Amino acid sequence: MHGQLLVVSGPSGSGKGTVVEFLKKTPGYDFSVSVTTRAPRVGEVEGVNYYYITNERFEELKQAGELLEFTSFCGTSYGTPVSEIKKAEKLDRALVFDIETEGAANVKRLRPEAILVMLIPPTFQELERRLRGRKSESEEKIANRLAKAKQEILLFGNYDYIVVNETGGQEEAAKVLDAIVRAKICLAAGGPKNKADEELLAFVSKFETKSHPDVVEKFFCN
Ligand code: 5GP
């Protein structure tokens, strides 16, 4: 029972949602369903994307210690129920968390064995293009999202891995995340046992934050 925890963060425009959707469809993965006080968006389903609760219920869960971590993001409360982690512990599956930077740091503090991955777009220009491409938001909102994205990406040092989500490359990025999880399981089971394991570890090491600290510099300069 490995119950590996995989925390994925990435700013709005990083394509994180689509990458996580690919991962959810990969055998061996389960998704940590958070509670939120915001209303469901079109297409979102109760118990699948989130548990949608009132501010009062959120406070109750917080006071009762039933949230592993929680945060307030753009005026909405989000939290990870402790019950989600318990679910992973019973399963031979990896549990994927789609949470922002503060929550990610808290999960790492409480569960040091969790893998933290930051997903970023290839360049700042591309991030801007993606956000403008939505055409649904005011100039002010776009400027806010860009500023928030900058802040979040600058926290990359807290993450074990940085994965660049190339345009149209969400499935590839999901495969990298899967490789990262498999590499961690391989190491926990005593290290590489054959050539395929060695290749897996070599592949994954290319995404380690410590082995390419310039990736974020490149992101801001291009
Ligand atoms: P959205 O409203 O777009 O679904 O999510 C907004 C942000 O909240 C995203 O960055 C998402 O990763 C983050 N988020 C969702 N659930 C949680 C949670 O339980 N804890 C924390 N810390 N962040 C969350």
Side-chain angles (χ1 to χ4, degrees), residues 8-10 16 34-36 38 41 44 50 69-71 73 76 78-81 98-104 152:
V8 187
S9 303
K16 179 181 57 168
S34 295
V35 290
T36 181
R38 76 158 168 75
R41 296 193 187 117
E44 288 186 348
Y50 285 105
E69 61 77 34
F70 48 83
T71 194
F73 188 89
T76 298
Y78 296 88
T80 303
D98 171 348
I99 60 179
E100 50 68 70
T101 44
E102 187 192 351
E152 291 186 277

Side-chain angles (χ1 to χ4, degrees), residues 94-111:
L95 189 68
V96 183
F97 297 76
D98 171 348
I99 60 179
E100 50 68 70
T101 44
E102 187 192 351
N106 283 330
V107 171
K108 189 74 172 180
R109 190 170 47 79
L110 297 165
R111 301 289 175 132

Side-chain angles (χ1 to χ4, degrees), residues 57-77:
R57 181 72 187 130
F58 193 91
E59 276 310 307
E60 271 173 29
L61 291 175
K62 221 165 90 175
Q63 298 307 328
E66 287 182 32
L67 299 179
L68 178 78
E69 61 77 34
F70 48 83
T71 194
S72 173
F73 188 89
C74 300
T76 298
S77 299

Side-chain angles (χ1 to χ4, degrees), residues 179-204:
I180 288 171
V181 170
R182 286 188 290 112
K184 178 84 187 261
I185 293 168
C186 166
L187 286 172
K193 296 195 174 51
N194 51 40
K195 193 148 191 298
D197 285 352
E198 279 166 16
E199 282 171 5
L200 174 69
L201 296 185
F203 172 71
V204 161

Side-chain angles (χ1 to χ4, degrees), residues 56-169:
E56 293 69 31
R57 181 72 187 130
F58 193 91
E59 276 310 307
E60 271 173 29
L61 291 175
K62 221 165 90 175
Q63 298 307 328
E66 287 182 32
L67 299 179
L68 178 78
E69 61 77 34
F70 48 83
T71 194
S72 173
F73 188 89
C74 300
T76 298
S77 299
Y78 296 88
T80 303
V82 173
S83 53
E84 293 298 296
I85 295 259
K86 295 208 173 120
K87 179 168 93 182
E89 283 166 355
K90 293 195 202 110
L91 297 169
D92 191 21
R93 292 199 215 138
L95 189 68
V96 183
F97 297 76
D98 171 348
I99 60 179
E100 50 68 70
T101 44
E102 187 192 351
N106 283 330
V107 171
K108 189 74 172 180
R109 190 170 47 79
L110 297 165
R111 301 289 175 132
E113 74 282 12
I115 309 171
L116 264 54
V117 181
M118 159 98 48
L119 206 60
I120 63 170
T123 62
F124 192 70
Q125 268 180 1
E126 173 60 16
L127 175 69
E128 196 166 352
R129 196 191 64 77
R130 288 182 191 175
L131 291 179
R132 289 191 191 285
R134 294 179 178 174
K135 293 199 169 72
S136 55
E137 280 173 352
S138 64
E139 198 51 41
E140 190 192 345
K141 267 209 162 148
I142 292 174
N144 280 342
R145 283 187 188 267
L146 282 170
K148 178 88 186 150
K150 255 189 197 169
Q151 275 175 12
E152 291 186 277
I153 291 173
L154 286 171
L155 293 173
F156 72 96
N158 295 342
Y159 287 74
D160 303 306
Y161 296 91
I162 305 179
V163 176
V164 177
N165 183 19
E166 299 292 345
T167 305

Side-chain angles (χ1 to χ4, degrees), residues 11-24:
S12 165
S14 65
K16 179 181 57 168
T18 318
V19 173
V20 168
E21 282 306 316
F22 273 115
L23 210 52
K24 279 189 199 171

